[in-house]
Amino acid sequence: MTAAAAVAGASLAWLGAALLVLSDERRGLALGLAILAVGLAVATTAAGQDRLADAALAVGGACAAALQFARGGRGWGLMPPGSTPRLIGSVVVLIVTVLVAGTGLQDAAGVSRLGALVVAIMATGRLLTVRRRWAALGAGSALVLGLGALGSTPTLLLAATVAVGLNLVDVAAPEEVAA
Amino acid sequence: MALTIAVLTAPALSSLLPVRDLVRLPAPSRVLLIASAGAVLLTVGMVPRPVARWDLFAGGLGAVGAMAVLVAVTDPLAVALLLILTGFCCAVRPGSRPMAVRARGPAFAALLLGVGWGLHGMSGSLGRAAALSLALSLVAVGGLMPYLQDVDADEPASSSYLLWTGFFAPALALTLSLRVLPALTADQATIFGGTLVGLGLLNLGWGAVGAWRTSCDADAWRHSFLADWGLVLVGLGLFQPEGFAAAYLALLSIVMVRLPLYVLARPGSLRGEPAARGTLSIVVAVVLAGAAPFAGFPVRLLLLQAATRVAWPLAVLLLAGMVLWIAHSLRLARTVGSPRGRAALGLWLTIGISLALGLFPGALRAAGGL
Amino acid sequence: MALATLLLPPALLVVAAALSWAAGLARPPVGRQVVAAAAWLALAALAGAWLAAARGSSEFAPGLTTGVIPVRLRVDAVTVLFQVAVLLPAALLLTFQRRSSSEATRAALATAAALGCLDGGSLLWTAIGLGVCTSLLLIHLYREEPRVSTQFWVVQTVAWLLLVWTAVLLESAGGTSVYGAIPVTALRLPAFAVMTVAALLCSGLLPWRSWVSEAWTRRRLEAGTLAIALIVPLGLYPLVRAYGMGAGQWPSIQTNVVVAAVGTAVALGAAVRAQGAATRRRYLAEAVPLASGLALLALGLGTPLGLVAALTAILALSIVAGLAPLVPPGRGAVAVVAIAVAAGAPPAVVFAGWLLAIQAAVEAGIITAFFGLVGAAAWLLGLAAAARAIWLPDTSSGDGPGAGRGYVGSLVASAAAITAGVALTAVVGLLAIPAAAEVMPTSAVHPQSGGVSQAAILGAGSMGVSTASGGWSAVLLAGPLVLIALITVTAAHLARRRAARISVLEEVPASNVAPPQPPPEPFFAPPLATIPHDAARRLRALRLPEQYRSLFRPALMERAAVWGGPWLWAAATVALTIAVTR
């Protein structure tokens, strides 16, 4: 049961990360962020982490997503034309990560760790390719959540806080002129 | 500033707060933090234009505070998270490059650090990859080879990536080394050290030759930072007391000597002004060349001691790099020119600091517990 | 008293530097005089303190740490000899060359740094001191003429780095680089080889034109010649100390042969270049390399007589370093005497030192005897070059105004050299032999070294030199020679004055005045002279073949690294991960 929950959580996290990678609008990014936060929280709970901290992770991710959502336009921007390489990349990252780090898949903790790794790598990949501030901050938030999920209670709490903080930066900073 | 003071006095406060084990400042990091604060004051005092001065001061204080937190937190994973936050906060400042581009370096470094620390408990090839990732994170946080970033001429110094290379990264790299090394196995430590030494030599050679051969003075300065960092990485990777001391002194020299000189030279070098041939040029050239009795020579001595103990061919490579160093020293010194007034005072202060670092490294080592 | 020997000379020069700097600010142009007085005072203090003391070796460890090593000072006969070798030419140059107050300040500091370098009790301290001295001289050179002497800077940097590395190797092998404490077995061939390369580079001891000769191409000679006077003896110092480290010998006999061969080649190369010089300045530029080459030849012999000869030759070298820049223009008696003294004509100490070196080489063995013969040939060639140099034009294209080479300095230096030659036995007995005995003791470990004794080198009553290959009395031969020379010069001077008075009265027609003679041609064109220049030119012109150039372009690679950013980061990380996890 625990292992199944961990797998479900990790899968959800991957899905959320994939949505984040494949969206070109704030709403899509927010959706991906929320899903991956929930997925990571489920996975870390299944791995035996403190439930409060896991809940905080989910709440933090949700708040970050909400901040993005609130400033978004009407569209979701999911899988726009030209996003096929990103889609393939999302799948490839999952496969490669499983192959490389798959030795730790024996238990729920290993699965949770794998999920967090996948999220972190995909988020970094997204961050390295975008040029808009909101997209970078969204990817940064995902990276923070993914890395936070690798740690223990204090790290989970910190990750939630930093994820919200990053998106508050977007709110507080002056409007960015499109590059 | 409040954060910095809090971190520096943390040993006294930590028993009162429930964060005892989460916040601990190693002695060398304390010295580097104080040196960084001093560097902020020095560079603010030297900056030619009054308009930039207050902006630089405010930004500098904020940066010192952020650095204080980064070096005080004991968990490398937490450091990675805070690194992302700091990176984005720095990137959001005005600059000619997009914010997303400027945030990439710290974010990538944080990924490497987080992944490395998250997996360091694994055995076998995964453990070795984790050690490699930890070593690469030190390289990435400084924006060194192969994680180079662009230098944009129109960008203010506080938004340039050299802010990370010359200001944030020194204290962070030293502290992270101190934190992660005890947790690594022998196999992992070998990977960690070998990676640092290899990339250190690469940066030393690339920096020394690049600073000499490049046609642009701004690029030459960037390469000179790479060369200095090359010595640091080699020192950290040798796992010898002398090597670590050399890295520590080299980092102090980067923060307190090279960075202020760069800030002084930056306006002229970016505008491509013709090189000045003032009488101060040769003094600054000797300082930048690492000659006795200035800051560079105890670094070289200690590094040669450590390298000879580990493998003498390494000392030969280091010697070659140190000799190549001379080629760019005078060129960089000429970009500093002959400043007047406040900037001249700052320049002489920097030369004095370099002399003090060269004459009394023992006192600094004692302060850093090395 | 021993501490006074160590600290007083550099302290005097530092104080003088401060006073000179203050004088420079306050405008009265007395800085040069202050520094010159301090230099002579320092020399006197050194000699006085050494003679008044027990003249044994002493070490001081005050418990301070500066730089990265504890302060450790040592005074012994070797220290005193080398400090004399540094102070004497420095005092001459500081007195008789024209300098502003600020230039005098820098010169005094550099001299003090050189003395401080010799005060150190360990090889590491010597290396650090050399580095400090080089930095100060670099600043001095640049301030005089805003043109960096790249060769000097590169060579000296390599030298002090290699010396530091040698100290590190000694510490690895023996636990310390303190001269008095290094275990005999610590100085092995690798460390010795590194140290020898450092010494050769530092002193410009190369068969081709080195930084020592290049210093004479500067427009002004003050800073460059001071650098030669300070640095060249410092470079030879570690090689002398190496005898002490090895309890009287170097790591292997092959090292002796190699070093002696290099010394011979240096002397021969200098002599060949000297005879082919186009101007007197270019001839004088080879005076110090010739002297240092013969000193190195003697140093490499490894025998007690060889070591004494080397140390005497080092003192001679210091005289040459102080005299050559002071040679006045023209073909007057003073100029002729100065050139003759620098070329090793009797009865000066230069002649004596070189003769001892040749004798020692002949006595040391068959191979070294051959080196000695070559050294003698170089000496003779140098004398011939000196005779030619008297007729050479004095100015080169870079000879600036106010060269400041009057007659007094040259006269004083020549007189000092001749006096030292006449009193050779005193010089050898008081300085060279004690210094040699310090590093080449009679030791049970190496009985063949024998140690240095006064009786083996000086004749009965210390009136002359007496060695296995022959003896000669410096006092009895040189004394009358000097007397005859003085009488001759005085008579010639009186006769010339009378002739000048007569020519003014009789209005000698211009057609009777002898036309100026062109300078004599060189004996032969220096062979291989263009090889270093050609080699440097070819190295600079080296390029990858056109078809391969696109494979390796660092600038393009860096641009790709910067612009390609994220992809290169990921690729580099993945590549390294694969390499590490295989």
Side-chain angles (χ1 to χ4, degrees):
Chain A
M1 187 62 190
T2 316
V7 169
S11 305
L12 205 58
W14 173 79
L15 183 65
L19 281 174
L20 184 140
V21 165
L22 291 170
S23 71
D24 277 355
E25 293 291 338
R26 284 186 189 258
R27 283 192 168 192
L29 182 140
L31 179 65
L33 203 54
I35 292 174
L36 76 87
V38 168
L40 285 173
V42 167
T44 51
T45 307
Q49 294 282 8
D50 182 45
R51 291 192 179 192
L52 204 60
D54 298 329
L57 189 76
V59 166
C63 289
L67 285 168
Q68 288 282 354
F69 194 89
R71 289 163 67 89
R74 285 192 165 275
W76 292 84
L78 289 172
M79 294 190 61
S83 63
T84 310
R86 285 185 261 165
L87 177 63
I88 296 171
S90 305
V91 175
V92 166
V93 165
L94 175 65
I95 295 170
V96 168
T97 311
V98 168
L99 284 174
V100 170
T103 50
L105 281 176
Q106 286 94 359
D107 56 1
V111 174
S112 163
R113 197 181 306 128
L114 194 70
L117 265 179
V118 168
V119 166
I121 293 171
M122 288 172 69
T124 307
R126 184 66 177 147
L127 178 57
L128 294 182
T129 50
V130 296
R131 293 180 77 86
R132 298 300 306 271
R133 187 173 72 199
W134 61 263
L137 285 165
S141 305
L143 173 60
V144 162
L145 293 171
L147 290 179
L150 286 171
S152 58
T153 305
T155 322
L156 287 164
L157 294 169
L158 184 62
T161 315
V162 171
V164 173
L166 283 178
N167 289 278
L168 285 175
V169 166
D170 187 31
V171 171
E175 196 63 41
E176 185 186 42
V177 175
Chain B
M1 185 53 83
L3 266 173
T4 311
I5 293 168
V7 164
L8 288 172
T9 53
L13 294 175
S14 62
S15 57
L16 303 172
L17 301 169
V19 292
R20 302 192 257 276
D21 294 328
L22 301 176
V23 175
R24 195 171 54 247
L25 191 61
S29 310
R30 186 189 310 271
V31 175
L32 266 169
L33 193 58
I34 295 170
S36 303
V40 166
L41 293 173
L42 188 59
T43 49
V44 164
M46 280 194 325
V47 156
R49 287 184 307 148
V51 172
R53 195 167 291 141
W54 291 112
D55 180 48
L56 201 59
F57 186 60
L61 284 184
V64 171
M67 193 200 305
V69 175
L70 283 171
V71 300
V73 169
T74 54
D75 183 8
L77 206 48
V79 172
L81 300 179
L82 292 169
L83 187 57
I84 297 170
L85 181 62
T86 310
F88 275 93
C89 289
C90 288
V92 93
R93 289 174 60 83
S96 56
R97 291 177 300 153
M99 179 262 203
V101 171
R102 283 184 281 139
R104 285 175 187 170
F108 195 76
L111 171 73
L112 290 169
L113 178 62
V115 167
W117 188 250
L119 297 179
H120 84 278
M122 312 291 282
S123 59
S125 56
L126 214 52
R128 289 201 294 275
L132 172 72
S133 186
L134 288 170
L136 291 179
S137 70
L138 301 189
V139 177
V141 81
L144 311 174
M145 199 71 178
Y147 304 114
L148 289 180
Q149 296 191 53
D150 196 13
V151 170
D152 194 315
D154 298 325
E155 213 161 49
S158 54
S159 304
S160 162
Y161 100 92
L162 280 179
L163 172 72
W164 283 90
T165 311
F167 190 74
F168 278 111
L172 203 50
L174 191 72
T175 313
L176 285 173
S177 299
L178 289 168
R179 301 239 193 262
V180 307
L181 264 176
L184 299 180
T185 63
D187 196 29
Q188 289 173 338
T190 307
I191 301 290
F192 183 83
T195 306
L196 288 180
V197 170
L199 289 178
L201 289 173
L202 173 66
N203 279 278
L204 174 62
W206 197 274
V209 175
W212 169 31
R213 302 292 296 175
T214 185
S215 53
C216 172
D217 286 338
D219 263 351
W221 272 103
R222 188 250 298 263
H223 283 107
S224 72
F225 276 96
L226 292 189
D228 245 337
W229 265 99
L231 296 180
V232 171
L233 294 178
V234 172
L236 289 175
L238 287 175
F239 300 154
Q240 298 283 321
E242 291 86 5
F244 204 82
Y248 164 70
L249 292 172
L251 289 170
L252 280 173
S253 170
I254 289 173
V255 170
M256 298 225 68
V257 179
R258 194 169 288 275
L259 185 64
L261 288 176
Y262 168 69
V263 168
L264 203 57
R266 195 167 186 269
S269 62
L270 290 178
R271 283 196 295 269
E273 286 175 358
R277 288 176 177 262
T279 51
L280 265 186
S281 297
I282 190 63
V283 179
V284 175
V286 171
V287 168
L288 288 171
F294 295 104
F297 102 85
V299 173
R300 282 150 177 77
L301 168 61
L302 290 167
L303 210 50
L304 283 175
Q305 282 180 332
T308 305
R309 202 163 289 156
V310 171
W312 68 263
L314 185 56
V316 174
L317 292 172
L318 286 172
L319 280 168
M322 291 170 189
V323 172
L324 279 175
W325 206 286
I326 306 166
H328 67 257
S329 302
L330 187 61
R331 176 211 187 142
L332 295 182
R334 284 179 180 153
T335 61
V336 173
S338 302
R340 297 252 182 276
R342 188 193 285 261
L345 181 63
L347 177 60
W348 279 109
L349 209 55
T350 306
I351 293 172
I353 290 170
S354 181
L355 190 61
L357 286 175
L359 290 178
F360 306 110
L364 290 162
R365 285 178 70 179
L370 300 172
Chain C
M1 192 56 84
L3 199 56
T5 315
L6 273 178
L7 299 179
L8 207 47
L12 282 169
L13 284 162
V14 169
V15 168
L19 290 173
S20 175
W21 177 72
L25 291 177
R27 295 298 173 188
V30 296
R32 186 190 120 205
Q33 287 80 359
V34 168
V35 164
W40 289 110
L41 215 59
L43 190 58
L46 175 69
W50 178 244
L51 291 171
R55 283 186 266 156
S57 64
S58 306
E59 281 199 6
F60 304 96
L64 299 169
T65 301
T66 185
V68 285
I69 53 170
V71 173
R72 202 176 183 115
L73 307 174
R74 180 185 177 90
V75 63
D76 57 18
V78 176
T79 311
V80 171
L81 184 140
F82 273 89
Q83 290 203 336
V84 170
V86 162
L87 263 177
L88 184 57
L92 286 168
L93 296 176
L94 290 172
T95 309
F96 296 111
Q97 283 182 325
R98 280 196 211 144
R99 282 184 173 83
S100 64
S101 292
S102 58
E103 288 173 346
T105 304
R106 288 187 290 276
L109 285 176
T111 311
L115 295 177
C117 171
L118 294 167
D119 280 344
S122 68
L123 186 62
L124 196 51
W125 180 281
T126 303
I128 294 169
L130 179 65
V132 174
C133 187
T134 304
S135 300
L136 288 167
L137 283 169
L138 210 53
I139 295 169
H140 188 28
L141 285 164
Y142 190 80
R143 288 295 298 265
E144 183 189 76
E145 193 176 312
R147 166 175 80 97
V148 169
S149 177
T150 313
Q151 192 185 67
F152 175 77
W153 196 358
V154 171
V155 161
Q156 294 305 321
T157 302
V158 172
W160 82 258
L161 281 172
L162 288 178
L163 219 49
V164 165
W165 193 27
T166 309
V168 167
L169 289 169
L170 286 173
E171 284 178 359
S172 300
T176 180
S177 69
V178 173
Y179 293 128
I182 296 176
V184 171
T185 51
L187 185 62
R188 292 193 280 255
L189 190 57
F192 183 80
V194 173
M195 184 170 71
T196 305
V197 171
L200 297 183
L201 288 174
C202 180
S203 297
L205 289 163
L206 302 168
W208 50 85
R209 221 174 136 81
S210 69
W211 71 267
V212 175
S213 308
E214 288 299 322
W216 282 78
T217 61
R218 296 169 62 86
R219 195 178 61 86
R220 285 180 65 195
L221 292 178
E222 280 77 4
T225 52
L226 182 69
I228 294 170
L230 297 181
I231 295 285
V232 172
L234 287 186
L236 291 168
Y237 180 70
L239 289 178
V240 173
R241 283 292 183 194
Y243 277 108
M245 293 180 215
Q249 62 186 47
W250 286 350
S252 74
I253 197 72
Q254 288 84 1
T255 56
N256 291 85
V257 172
V258 168
V259 170
V262 170
T264 312
V266 169
L268 190 61
V272 166
R273 290 192 302 274
Q275 63 82 37
T279 63
R280 189 184 289 181
R281 190 187 258 215
R282 287 198 73 130
Y283 160 76
L284 290 171
E286 306 302 337
V288 168
L290 175 59
S292 54
L294 289 172
L296 187 66
L297 161 62
L299 197 54
L301 297 173
T303 60
L305 179 61
L307 190 53
V308 171
L311 293 168
T312 311
I314 287 171
L315 289 171
L317 158 69
S318 72
I319 291 277
V320 172
L323 176 57
L326 300 176
V327 172
R331 292 199 287 271
V334 177
V336 170
V337 167
I339 290 173
V341 165
V349 69
V350 182
F351 163 83
W354 295 0
L355 183 57
L356 269 178
I358 303 300
Q359 278 184 279
V362 166
E363 288 179 24
I366 298 172
I367 297 176
T368 53
F370 175 71
F371 291 151
L373 288 177
V374 176
W379 184 2
L380 286 172
L381 195 56
L383 282 169
R388 178 172 172 268
I390 294 169
W391 297 96
L392 289 174
D394 185 54
T395 55
S396 66
S397 57
D399 199 5
R405 288 174 288 133
Y407 293 88
V408 179
S410 178
L411 203 57
V412 167
S414 304
I418 292 169
T419 309
V422 172
L424 176 71
T425 50
V427 170
V428 169
L430 286 174
L431 285 174
I433 290 179
E438 180 68 38
V439 293
M440 198 178 266
T442 311
S443 163
V445 177
H446 298 290
Q448 61 271 26
S449 69
V452 180
S453 72
Q454 198 122 344
I457 296 167
L458 298 180
S462 297
M463 292 292 282
V465 172
S466 171
T467 68
S469 57
W472 41 282
S473 176
V475 175
L476 296 178
L477 285 175
L481 198 62
V482 169
L483 209 55
I484 292 168
L486 278 174
I487 293 169
T488 310
V489 165
T490 311
H493 181 68
L494 289 171
R496 205 179 311 123
R497 276 177 70 179
R498 211 167 133 224
R501 228 181 297 133
I502 292 169
S503 70
V504 164
L505 292 173
E506 293 182 358
E507 294 182 6
V508 174
S511 59
N512 286 355
V513 174
Q517 294 180 6
E521 292 294 318
F523 302 112
F524 53 88
L528 312 176
T530 57
I531 286 187
H533 182 72
D534 286 344
R537 189 171 45 83
R538 285 206 178 126
L539 270 173
R540 271 195 293 269
L542 265 182
R543 296 278 185 274
L544 272 177
E546 183 68 45
Q547 59 267 37
Y548 302 124
R549 221 168 278 176
S550 58
L551 289 177
F552 184 68
R553 279 185 162 180
L556 279 183
M557 284 166 65
E558 184 171 307
R559 219 171 297 152
V562 166
W563 289 349
W567 302 115
L568 189 78
W569 297 357
T573 308
V574 167
L576 284 168
T577 308
I578 293 171
V580 155
T581 52
R582 281 296 112 224

